[in-house]
Amino acid sequence: MKWLALVLALLAAPLAAQTRLLLGATHTLDNSGFLAAVLPQFTADTGIRVDTVVLGTRQILAMAERGEFDVLITHHRPSELAFIAAGYGTARNDLMFNDFVLIGPADDPAGIASAADAPAALAAIAASQARFISRGDESGTHLREQELWAQAGLNPAGDWYYAVGAGMGATLNIAAALSAYTLSDRATWLTFQGQAGLALLFEGGAGLRNDYSLIEINAARFAHINAQAAQTFASWMLGPKGQAAIAAFRPNGQQLFCPARQHPGQEQGGKPCTANAQ
């Protein structure tokens, strides 16, 4: 009966439209293992498969301006707010946070461990011309690094400063090979720590807080966007299950991200996060 087949197909269409989601995400979420741990939980609950493209925040936002994603997770507030203001996304939602840390040779030749704040630590590196590895990829980490140099009143250049155009994991590997300093998000550092000769030398302060946001792409601007699946993803990630999954992501017993939202009945238990929350 052709009419019955047609009715069943029409009834199945809304569900079929939700079965695939394209997520633009930052390197940190991949390097830390977060995506591999959390996305299967979302798929198990909703039946929606998530395909991901992993790049730096600015690269993700540039692709999203062409309608190449359904939803984003990025971590540079000024760029995200400009993206929303231009009408490419519907809203910026606080998802989770951790912090940035300054990593370097364990013997700390620039003496940054005793610096008053992060800009002062960078100024000490520049003054000593100790090697510094910059991601140089317009990621959220790279953009924050540039902001910290500006706060120090410096425009780093010279043989001691290397912009490598790589993700966080690769940047840490290069820093280890060259006995150099670098700025890292804490999650990737905790995942990669143990690299020969490197140590966490400076942390703390509001300027090093690292906020991640979830942005749904504006379907009114891009008709092909899977808005239904994006809304389901946002509701899950920002709701009790997603926020609990963020808190529970603890490789080797170390919490790498703090959920941004507290839901009734959600247990934090002990120290809530490794991140600096000031």
Side-chain angles (χ1 to χ4, degrees):
M1 292 187 295
K2 293 182 179 179
W3 66 268
L4 180 58
L6 178 60
V7 169
L8 291 175
L10 290 172
L11 290 173
L15 180 60
Q18 280 215 67
T19 57
R20 180 179 177 272
L21 178 73
L22 187 54
L23 168 68
T26 64
H27 285 286
T28 301
L29 302 180
D30 185 45
N31 291 160
S32 66
F34 177 85
L35 295 176
V38 174
L39 294 184
Q41 298 178 51
F42 168 74
T43 298
D45 280 351
T46 66
I48 300 172
R49 186 186 80 190
V50 182
D51 296 326
T52 59
V53 172
V54 176
L55 291 166
T57 286
R58 279 272 179 85
Q59 293 170 302
I60 289 292
L61 292 172
M63 291 179 67
E65 289 177 1
R66 301 191 293 269
E68 296 185 27
F69 300 113
D70 300 313
V71 67
L72 316 175
I73 300 177
T74 53
H75 67 134
H76 186 249
R77 186 187 297 264
S79 298
E80 293 156 2
L81 293 176
F83 180 83
I84 298 298
Y88 296 111
T90 57
R92 180 191 176 280
N93 300 286
D94 288 320
L95 176 64
M96 59 190 183
F97 64 91
N98 61 7
D99 64 340
F100 294 107
V101 291
L102 280 164
I103 307 301
D107 60 354
D108 191 15
I112 71 169
S114 59
D117 54 28
L122 292 180
I125 294 170
S128 68
Q129 295 203 348
R131 289 193 186 98
F132 186 94
I133 309 300
S134 169
R135 284 183 57 170
D137 62 350
E138 293 201 321
S139 61
T141 304
H142 177 220
L143 295 172
R144 180 60 61 87
E145 178 215 318
Q146 291 180 309
E147 291 165 357
L148 292 170
W149 284 115
Q151 289 169 25
L154 295 169
N155 182 21
D159 293 342
W160 59 277
Y161 184 84
Y162 300 78
V164 295
M168 195 69 252
T171 299
L172 283 167
N173 285 331
I174 294 168
L178 297 178
S179 296
Y181 292 92
T182 193
L183 180 73
S184 174
D185 67 280
R186 187 184 292 267
T188 309
W189 164 247
L190 289 174
T191 303
F192 278 73
Q193 70 179 353
Q195 298 290 334
L198 291 185
L200 192 163
L201 297 172
F202 188 88
E203 61 185 321
L208 292 181
R209 175 163 165 145
N210 182 23
D211 290 293
Y212 291 81
S213 67
L214 186 151
I215 300 173
E216 295 175 59
I217 303 305
N218 186 357
R221 188 157 192 158
F222 302 105
H224 65 278
I225 294 300
N226 193 339
Q228 189 176 8
Q231 289 169 5
T232 300
F233 182 75
S235 295
W236 192 90
M237 289 298 299
L238 300 170
K241 286 187 176 181
Q243 294 291 286
I246 291 167
F249 177 61
R250 302 188 182 208
N252 302 315
Q254 299 187 94
Q255 186 171 359
L256 302 193
F257 301 97
C258 300
R261 301 174 181 225
Q262 185 74 34
H263 293 279
Q266 184 178 319
E267 296 294 333
Q268 287 289 339
K271 187 179 179 180
C273 190
T274 57
N276 179 281
Q278 297 178 17

